[in-house]
Amino acid sequence: MTRFSITSLLAVLALQTPIALAESDVVDDWCGYLGNRLRSVSTKSCQARNFVAATERTQQGNALVMSDFEATKGNPGQAKRILAIGGIHGDELTSISVVFRWLDWLKQSDAAVYKWRVIPVANPDGLKAKPSTRVNANGIDLNRNFQTPDWDKDAEAYWINRTKRDPRRYPGKSAGSEVETRWLQAQIEEFKPDLIISVHAPYNLLDYDGPVPQPMRFGRLSLNRLGVYPGSMGNYAGVYKQIPVITIELPNATSMPSQRDQLAMWQDMLKWMKHNIKNLAN
Ligand SMILES: [Zn+2]
């Protein structure tokens, strides 16, 4: 082969490689990482799901991944839409694992009447940091970076006065400064959920923001309203956009609740959804 043709071949390969990586390889790698990192996630069953990587990448080059699950029971054309999100805080490992566990239960008849969009890892840079961090790679708490109407007036003052400049709760220099936050907001705009479920740890409670009657208890978790923070998802979606937001705070960030407790939480949540989500105006 002449020098010219080798150079041409390399040029063609260089052009093609990123295109190939943008497809299933990215999701396979993502599943491989999660399977290694989280005891309750299986790489194989993750790869068998229909996960899709967004074109955006995080500051560390990590993929933002989601999957849609169509309703298969009831009236699929009219199905209410549920957006489930884990791992906005990268060091809350159980919040990711629990969302994966739910994927195994979506076919149950109470759950299959909804259309689900599932985002198990909203802050992959925080998860992959060593050790994992609450904030993203830019040191920003994504759950204080949403573009809420009170952000410009209150976010920095809240951080300084109420958190005493806690670096784990830094809201950033401007609302929506982070690619992860903007991507989550775009998911809400595009999917138009009737309910958002955001999973966290380790405060061992249930929180709620939004227009329908609040849930009182899911399994061992009881309602304990934490209040509304400038830039939080509960504030952005629940107060500003008037989409109900359930925040589940698991009791431990690294150790999963028992299978029995997980199931009780799930069943109570589905019961609450059955009575409250159908009543929402579209
Ligand atoms: Zn959290």
Side-chain angles (χ1 to χ4, degrees), residues 82 110 114 194-197 206-218 243-246 265-280:
I82 316 294
D110 279 0
Y114 303 107
D194 296 291
L195 170 69
I196 298 172
I197 305 162
L206 197 56
D207 196 1
Y208 176 77
D209 298 287
V212 299
Q214 57 196 11
M216 298 310 292
R217 193 172 186 84
F218 291 168
I243 302 163
V245 179
I246 287 172
M265 189 192 306
W266 167 257
Q267 286 167 342
D268 286 350
M269 184 169 84
L270 270 290
K271 223 179 282 171
W272 179 85
M273 285 160 60
K274 190 175 185 175
H275 289 112
N276 293 287
I277 295 311
K278 65 178 180 191
N279 296 329
L280 287 173

Side-chain angles (χ1 to χ4, degrees), residues 88-89 91-92 95 134 143 199-203 249:
I88 289 188
H89 294 139
D91 57 356
E92 297 168 3
S95 75
R134 172 183 173 95
N143 206 33
V199 188
H200 290 257
Y203 292 105
E249 282 276 358

Side-chain angles (χ1 to χ4, degrees), residues 200-244:
H200 290 257
Y203 292 105
N204 196 24
L205 57 84
L206 197 56
D207 196 1
Y208 176 77
D209 298 287
V212 299
Q214 57 196 11
M216 298 310 292
R217 193 172 186 84
F218 291 168
R220 288 171 179 264
L221 304 178
S222 335
L223 186 73
N224 185 348
R225 303 286 296 271
L226 292 172
V228 176
Y229 307 100
S232 74
M233 177 182 279
N235 186 346
Y236 176 80
V239 179
Y240 171 46
K241 299 273 180 186
Q242 289 288 295
I243 302 163

